[in-house]
Amino acid sequence: MFTKILIANRGEIACRVAATARRMGIKTVAVYSEADAMAKHVAVCDEAVLIGPPAAKESYLRGDKIIEVALATGAQAIHPGYGFLSENEGFAKACATAGLVFIGPPASAIRAMGSKSAAKSLMETAEVPLVPGYHGDNQDADFLQIQADRIAYPVLLKASAGGGGKGMRIVERSVDFKAALASCKREAINSFGDDKVLVEKYLTRPRHIEIQVFADTHGDCVYLFERDCSVQRRHQKVLEEAPAPGMSLERRAAMGEAAVAAAKAVGYVGAGTVEFIANQDGSFYFMEMNTRLQVEHPVTEMITGLDLVEWQLRVAAGQRLPLQQSQLSINGHAIEARIYAENPEKGFLPSIGTVRHMHTPQAVTFRVGGDAAAHAPAAVRIDSGVRQGDAISPFYDPMIAKLIVWGRNRDQALARMAQALSEYQIVGLASNIAFLQRLIASAPFAGADLDTGLIERHHDVLFPASGKAALPVLALAAASLLCSERQQRAGASDPWADASGWRLNSVLRRSLDFADEANAYPLTIAYLEDGWTIELGGMTAKICMAGQDGSHLTLKLGDQTVHGNVVRDGETFHVFTAGSHTALLCTDPLAHAGETEAEGGRLTAPMPGKIVAVLVSAGDAVEKGAPLLIMEAMKMEHTIAAPNHGVVEELLYAVGDQVAEGAQLLSFKLSGETKQT
Ligand code: ADP
């Protein structure tokens, strides 16, 4: 076994690999970019070496530098994690040339599966079922359109070198084909440096079911069952679970064997995932093979009681697979939720910033049954590379953490997930936690009525109109503010040591204006000897403090006891109570009198990025919603659209320009006769 490995990655996966290495007594070397000098993965490894500036291509993608560091630090092997260099054939080869073990498959297997098109041709030969489509070399636009017309719409265009849900376009009609092809090719060349695409039939209501495979250098290959990753947004997984609900033993065996056949066809070694797209009738087709550890591998670990990183290290060190197919079994049910810094209400736009406050549910590990599983499944597991105070930057993936729960059955796992999400608190950037809570509780997910369109189809349930903040939430926010004022006046940390004389005044009234995105809450507060009264819209209730532990408040509100955590970030009060999060902006009505919201004449960059296409010219009259320019940020294309009918006055940036967050991109004049909607 190795005594020292280098982890060529960052974030949660680097921390995850380091944890297993430490348990096995293997020393770890972290590499990091200038943006990550203070990152968690640097702190959890035994050594850490700076490899370059923040941009991935100057740091985490610098295979040559990483190999140099491995040699200089005496590491014998490199674990690439996922993403970055994990599926880079050249890097796997360069490791071997330098006398280092690449903890992954042979370079030839990466090459064989690296191109979706070539992999499909190989699978055709191995008789693994394929979705109808064209995956050949002819990239002529007219030819591809003929293929799409032949397959019949809707079709899906995919970047052959694609991954991570990028470089895909659904085309509904023949007339839209050419534009979609151009956009797909543009994203493909930008993201993957290769604009080759394939066309396939777009299945309606399919499920994404993938099989975890593992092979060793002694010719053995097993499957560690399936994961259902149907719940996706922008073709990217949000929730993953194992086993797949409704999977019969026969189908599991058929898919498992097809996956093993796929792995064997390319001489696979190590951990790999064969992704299938499955119709509701159970028929399944090969989509692609990911030649690395997947983000969602923990759900497989939870139901098998195995540590897949340990298996990777053993196999890479030349050992045999620890278990044979007949020794593998499924225990219980596991679900993973990806917690992202993103704004679901704004099309899941990534959010960047500093995590000012983070409270996570308690990780719980216990042994289930008396079996000989090497590692007891945890009831609640959190894999994260982000701590309170860390930043989510535009340079890397905006995932904050993976929350994984295990239960004896799906219902128990669901209940644990709901509970754990209700305890997760993040302040400082937008997160998808509230969205995940609604998703977990939604009838289709709870009822396991899964398919890849679940989120879009149940949009109304998953994105309800925001309701009004409840009185306990407002009372907590108000009490937090009033207590901190009192503490400041008293100059003491004990709220009961108040000597300011405020509560000695007979009654002092003031207004406090809170607002969330949809509603304003003008409160009137009256100071009493033992608390306050809070008045909103003719309703009055008395608040008394019953306890305070840091930001956690307990109040008597009338005859209710209310408690929650109130985290203040500038003028915003984040109230976490009863499993929900409400952000309330507190404004001093006098200071803000006379201000109005900016009108829609400005169009600004939602985040830092690069302009990749300008679709209009100064003077153009455009319709509401017309695409004006396209920027690329956080590895995604974002289309900036006209807010209403109007005229483009001036373009402030050109293709290739970098823009800062909030930068005005163009000036736009709303047309006079426009009806405001
Ligand atoms: P990537 O490598 O970018 O993850 P995949 O080929 O694995 O791309 O596909 C990602 C997702 O896109 C799938 O999980 C599925 O939801 C959807 N998808 C892919 N192919 C099809 C198809 N032919 N029909 C319908 N949906 C598809």
Side-chain angles (χ1 to χ4, degrees):
M1 184 46 68
F2 315 113
T3 55
K4 193 192 260 190
I5 62 169
L6 181 145
I7 304 171
N9 214 300
R10 63 179 303 282
E12 68 87 18
I13 193 61
C15 299
R16 159 77 193 88
V17 173
T20 292
R22 190 178 323 109
R23 192 176 53 71
M24 293 174 70
I26 301 170
K27 293 264 179 276
T28 50
V29 181
V31 288
Y32 65 95
S33 73
E34 283 160 12
D36 278 342
M38 304 304 283
K40 183 177 168 190
H41 80 277
V42 170
V44 301
C45 288
D46 297 301
E47 292 170 57
V49 180
L50 175 68
I51 48 167
K57 63 174 184 299
E58 296 179 66
S59 51
Y60 297 103
L61 290 172
R62 284 288 304 271
D64 55 340
K65 267 234 164 106
I66 291 171
I67 287 173
E68 243 171 58
V69 173
L71 294 172
T73 53
Q76 298 115 17
I78 297 185
H79 195 304
Y82 53 70
F84 297 131
L85 295 167
S86 61
E87 294 180 287
N88 186 310
E89 179 200 352
F91 181 65
K93 275 192 192 149
C95 285
T97 309
L100 295 163
V101 177
F102 175 75
I103 304 171
S108 55
I110 299 180
R111 183 180 53 245
M113 290 296 185
S115 146
K116 287 185 204 277
S117 315
K120 286 192 146 193
S121 304
L122 250 158
M123 292 304 111
E124 214 161 23
T125 322
E127 294 185 359
V128 176
L130 297 181
V131 189
Y134 175 77
H135 51 264
D137 287 332
N138 192 339
Q139 294 292 301
D140 176 68
D142 292 324
F143 173 82
L144 289 175
Q145 177 146 26
I146 293 167
Q147 297 307 311
D149 293 348
R150 173 183 61 81
I151 299 161
Y153 296 86
V155 300
L156 186 62
L157 283 168
K158 281 188 192 177
S160 186
K166 274 171 285 150
M168 286 205 274
R169 295 288 182 281
I170 301 167
V171 192
E172 304 278 356
R173 301 171 308 170
S174 190
V175 289
D176 301 329
F177 185 85
K178 290 271 170 60
L181 180 68
S183 154
C184 185
K185 281 190 174 279
R186 186 170 56 234
E187 192 171 316
I189 196 97
N190 266 334
S191 304
F192 314 110
D194 176 356
D195 72 353
K196 186 173 179 189
V197 300
L198 60 88
V199 193
E200 61 186 33
K201 178 85 191 156
Y202 184 69
L203 304 183
T204 47
R205 303 203 60 175
R207 281 168 72 177
H208 172 118
I209 298 181
E210 58 185 33
I211 306 286
Q212 175 72 54
V213 293
F214 237 106
D216 64 18
T217 49
H218 304 269
D220 280 329
C221 183
V222 297
Y223 60 91
L224 281 75
F225 315 110
E226 76 281 1
R227 295 182 283 257
D228 190 315
C229 313
S230 300
V231 183
Q232 306 180 342
R233 49 117 183 77
R234 290 196 320 250
H235 301 299
Q236 260 203 299
K237 300 157 187 170
V238 180
L239 293 173
E240 300 104 339
E241 59 185 304
M247 178 68 103
S248 68
L249 292 179
E250 296 73 36
R251 183 151 303 124
R252 175 171 297 136
M255 292 182 82
E257 280 155 23
V260 166
K264 285 191 166 161
V266 294
Y268 204 76
V269 175
T273 295
V274 182
E275 296 191 331
F276 293 101
I277 189 152
N279 262 324
Q280 295 291 332
D281 67 5
S283 52
F284 59 89
Y285 307 99
F286 171 85
M287 241 182 333
E288 63 166 348
M289 179 168 187
N290 290 326
T291 53
R292 53 167 162 83
L293 195 66
Q294 299 270 93
V295 175
E296 59 274 21
H297 76 276
V299 292
T300 300
E301 297 188 315
M302 295 280 232
I303 60 155
T304 57
L306 301 168
D307 179 335
L308 298 194
V309 174
E310 179 182 339
W311 277 43
Q312 286 191 297
L313 292 167
R314 291 193 182 288
V315 165
Q319 298 181 12
R320 286 190 169 274
L321 289 177
L323 297 173
Q324 313 254 303
Q325 191 67 55
S326 60
Q327 295 171 295
L328 293 164
S329 60
I330 296 178
N331 178 15
H333 198 98
I335 305 176
E336 174 179 283
R338 297 191 189 188
I339 301 194
Y340 277 109
E342 66 180 16
N343 194 333
E345 279 72 25
K346 291 191 184 153
F348 300 97
L349 197 67
S351 166
I352 53 177
T354 301
V355 179
R356 301 205 178 280
H357 162 83
M358 177 151 70
H359 171 86
T360 61
Q362 190 94 43
V364 188
T365 309
F366 60 87
R367 199 165 269 287
V368 272
D371 62 15
H375 308 288
V380 179
R381 164 174 163 182
I382 297 164
D383 283 14
S384 175
V386 179
R387 300 156 302 187
Q388 181 167 302
D390 289 346
I392 297 289
S393 72
F395 303 109
Y396 316 113
D397 188 81
M399 191 163 75
I400 299 172
K402 304 186 306 201
L403 172 63
I404 313 111
V405 297
W406 178 90
R408 263 184 294 281
N409 50 42
R410 190 172 191 268
D411 284 346
Q412 192 183 45
L414 269 174
R416 282 193 175 141
M417 179 58 88
Q419 177 63 28
L421 283 171
S422 78
E423 292 169 16
Y424 225 118
Q425 303 176 359
I426 293 176
V427 170
L429 24 72
S431 90
N432 63 343
I433 293 174
F435 172 74
L436 289 170
Q437 288 179 294
R438 294 192 292 271
L439 193 53
I440 289 286
S442 70
F445 188 75
D449 180 12
L450 306 174
D451 70 90
T452 58
L454 186 148
I455 292 178
E456 273 159 35
R457 200 169 44 259
H458 297 281
H459 195 272
D460 293 354
V461 177
L462 297 173
F463 295 92
S466 41
K468 288 212 161 193
L471 193 62
V473 171
L474 297 168
L476 281 163
S480 163
L481 177 85
L482 295 165
C483 279
S484 75
E485 284 181 354
R486 185 159 58 186
Q487 280 160 15
Q488 272 170 15
R489 280 169 203 282
S493 57
D494 177 2
W496 311 114
D498 181 3
S500 68
W502 276 78
R503 67 193 155 113
L504 299 179
N505 290 336
S506 50
V507 185
L508 187 78
R509 295 170 75 82
R510 73 188 272 200
S511 37
L512 260 188
D513 283 1
F514 283 102
D516 57 25
E517 294 213 329
N519 301 288
Y521 309 97
L523 306 181
T524 306
I525 304 290
Y527 290 74
L528 308 173
E529 202 154 316
D530 57 346
W532 309 276
T533 60
I534 170 173
E535 193 188 313
L536 174 67
M539 258 180 36
T540 305
K542 185 177 170 188
I543 309 176
C544 297
M545 286 297 290
Q548 183 175 13
D549 178 7
S551 57
H552 192 90
L553 307 183
T554 307
L555 315 175
K556 297 279 272 179
L557 176 65
D559 44 17
Q560 275 183 73
T561 297
V562 171
H563 63 93
N565 204 20
V566 186
V567 180
R568 187 168 177 174
D569 185 13
E571 295 304 294
T572 305
F573 288 72
H574 294 268
V575 182
F576 296 92
T577 184
S580 75
H581 173 197
T582 312
L584 293 167
L585 186 69
C586 179
T587 47
D588 179 339
L590 298 175
H592 292 268
E595 277 184 19
T596 49
E597 278 277 300
E599 290 289 318
R602 273 167 70 91
L603 286 151
T604 53
M607 57 181 59
K610 192 170 93 178
I611 304 294
V612 292
V614 176
L615 309 170
V616 288
S617 310
D620 283 359
V622 293
E623 300 277 288
K624 178 179 178 177
L628 305 175
L629 34 88
I630 300 176
M631 55 181 287
E632 196 195 64
M634 301 195 83
K635 302 186 249 163
M636 270 172 43
E637 280 194 359
H638 304 279
T639 302
I640 311 292
N644 220 321
H645 310 290
V647 177
V648 176
E649 285 190 321
E650 192 186 351
L651 291 156
L652 302 169
Y653 289 93
V655 172
D657 287 351
Q658 290 288 342
V659 292
E661 182 181 2
Q664 184 175 352
L665 299 172
L666 45 79
S667 59
F668 186 81
K669 190 163 182 266
L670 298 176
S671 69
E673 65 282 355
T674 302
K675 268 189 269 150
Q676 296 288 336
T677 47

